[in-house]
Amino acid sequence: MPNGTRKYPDPDLKLLWGLAAARCSFPNCREKCVVEATSKDPTKPIGKISHIYAHADKGPRAKPDMTSKERDCYNNWILLCGTHHDTIDVQPNTYTPEQLKQWKVDHEKWVTNKLAIDIPSIGFLELEMTTSAILSTSIPQSIDLTLIPLQEKIQKNSLSQKSHERIMLGLVKSKEVEEFIGEMAKLKSDFPDKLKAGFVSAYVKLKNEDKLIGDSLFFALHDFASSNNTDFDKQAAGLAVLVYLFEKCEVFER
C-alpha cells in the first residue's frame, strides 16, 4: 500500500474526541487533551491522535494490507496526551495494537461511567452556566419541530449504540431541565426560544457546512452544548440540555 498524506476526516475526529471526552486514553492517565480558554485565548487542542496500526507501511505497528481509508479513521485512532503518544510509538513491541484497542474501549467506558456518576448531581447552577453560553437570537425557519417518538428519532438520525447510551444518560435530567427552562422563562420570556435557536443554529452549521451526520453530529453538538469544556460537570449539564431538546424534537431530524 503506497504511503500518502495523512487525512483526518472531521466526522471521525468528532467521534474520537467526543467519546474520549478529550482526555488521554493511556491507562490511568486521563490527562486533558485541551488547554481551556482564557480571557485572551480560545480553547485549543493539545492531544495527539495516534494510529493503532501505523499510517505508514514501515511505521510503528504497521499493517501494510490496510487501505488509506482504514488507516485514517476513528476505528484506527486512539487519543493520547503528547507524552503517551510518543511512548507507544518508540516502544511498538511493548504497546501492541490489541492493547491499544482495549485501552480505547476501557477509556470510553470510563467516560460513560463518569458521566453517569456526575449527571444526577447537576442542578440549576450548572444548567445556567451551560445555557448562558448557548443563547442565540434567531431560529432558522426551515426547521420542523414536529414531535415523533424518541426511538424513531434515534433511528432516523442513524445514531448508534454509542449515542444511544449518552441519550439514555441525559434523559435522567429531562424533568430538571424542563423545570429550569420554565423558571428562566418567568424571568426572560424569550429564554426558551433563544436556547432552542442556539442549538438549531449549531445543528444547521454542523450538518450543512461541516457535513456531519449521525454519531459525529451528535457528539459535535454535545461538545457545543458543553462549551468545549472538558470538566465532567459541564459535559453532564451540556448533555442534559442537548438530550432534553433532542427528546422534544427541537434539534435533529424529525
Side-chain angles (χ1 to χ4, degrees), residues 117-134:
I117 292 170
D118 282 22
I119 202 164
S121 64
I122 65 172
F124 272 37
L125 177 59
E126 290 80 11
L127 292 173
E128 184 175 16
M129 292 175 64
T130 294
T131 56
S132 65
I134 296 170

Side-chain angles (χ1 to χ4, degrees), residues 24-30 78 80 84 95 99 103 106-107:
C24 178
S25 299
F26 193 93
N28 300 317
C29 176
R30 296 165 184 163
I78 183 170
L80 299 171
H84 288 126
Y95 302 107
Q99 284 180 299
W103 292 355
D106 292 343
H107 181 73

Side-chain angles (χ1 to χ4, degrees), residues 9 16 26 33 35 43 94 107 153 171 176 179 250:
L16 182 72
F26 193 93
C33 290
V35 174
T43 300
T94 300
H107 181 73
K153 191 173 186 185
L171 286 174
E176 284 86 344
E179 291 174 352
E250 293 172 343

Side-chain angles (χ1 to χ4, degrees), residues 2-232:
N3 299 318
T5 303
R6 298 187 185 205
K7 297 179 180 179
Y8 296 96
D10 199 43
D12 295 83
L13 287 173
K14 299 297 185 185
L15 271 182
L16 182 72
W17 284 79
L19 287 165
R23 292 170 184 264
C24 178
S25 299
F26 193 93
N28 300 317
C29 176
R30 296 165 184 163
E31 184 73 23
K32 289 185 179 181
C33 290
V34 298
V35 174
E36 303 292 359
T38 68
S39 59
K40 297 181 179 179
D41 293 294
T43 300
K44 288 291 185 180
I46 57 173
K48 302 294 183 181
I49 298 172
S50 296
H51 286 71
I52 295 173
Y53 292 105
H55 173 81
D57 288 347
K58 295 183 179 180
R61 300 172 303 280
K63 190 178 181 183
D65 62 340
M66 293 181 74
T67 65
S68 295
K69 187 174 181 179
E70 290 172 331
R71 299 177 193 216
D72 294 329
C73 69
Y74 161 79
N75 289 334
N76 192 45
W77 294 339
I78 183 170
L79 184 63
L80 299 171
C81 64
T83 297
H84 288 126
H85 169 274
D86 294 346
T87 298
I88 68 165
D89 279 357
V90 298
Q91 295 185 319
N93 297 313
T94 300
Y95 302 107
T96 66
E98 290 70 28
Q99 284 180 299
L100 270 55
K101 290 177 184 178
Q102 190 59 53
W103 292 355
K104 186 175 176 181
V105 169
D106 292 343
H107 181 73
E108 291 180 357
K109 286 182 179 178
W110 172 79
V111 171
T112 299
N113 291 337
K114 191 70 173 67
L115 285 169
I117 292 170
D118 282 22
I119 202 164
S121 64
I122 65 172
F124 272 37
L125 177 59
E126 290 80 11
L127 292 173
E128 184 175 16
M129 292 175 64
T130 294
T131 56
S132 65
I134 296 170
L135 299 184
S136 184
T137 56
S138 63
I139 304 174
Q141 297 303 309
S142 61
I143 298 299
D144 175 20
L145 304 183
T146 304
L147 186 66
I148 65 173
L150 179 63
Q151 191 59 44
E152 182 181 338
K153 191 173 186 185
I154 291 173
Q155 294 174 352
K156 188 170 184 179
N157 284 276
S158 301
L159 299 179
S160 75
Q161 184 62 28
K162 294 179 184 297
S163 294
H164 187 271
E165 288 178 355
R166 295 289 176 92
I167 290 170
M168 293 302 103
L169 288 177
L171 286 174
V172 171
K173 279 291 178 178
S174 284
K175 183 178 180 180
E176 284 86 344
V177 174
E178 184 173 35
E179 291 174 352
F180 167 77
I181 292 175
E183 289 300 316
M184 291 300 295
K186 294 177 182 177
L187 301 175
K188 303 175 183 177
S189 61
D190 61 349
F191 179 85
D193 284 341
K194 285 191 173 183
L195 177 64
K196 176 174 58 180
F199 269 102
V200 173
S201 296
Y203 171 84
V204 170
K205 176 186 181 300
L206 290 167
K207 184 180 179 184
N208 296 342
E209 296 181 23
D210 299 342
K211 307 300 182 184
L212 300 182
I213 60 173
D215 290 338
S216 298
L217 180 55
F218 180 85
F219 282 98
L221 275 172
H222 184 197
D223 192 39
F224 164 77
S226 307
S227 301
N228 302 308
N229 195 301
T230 57
D231 291 338
F232 277 103

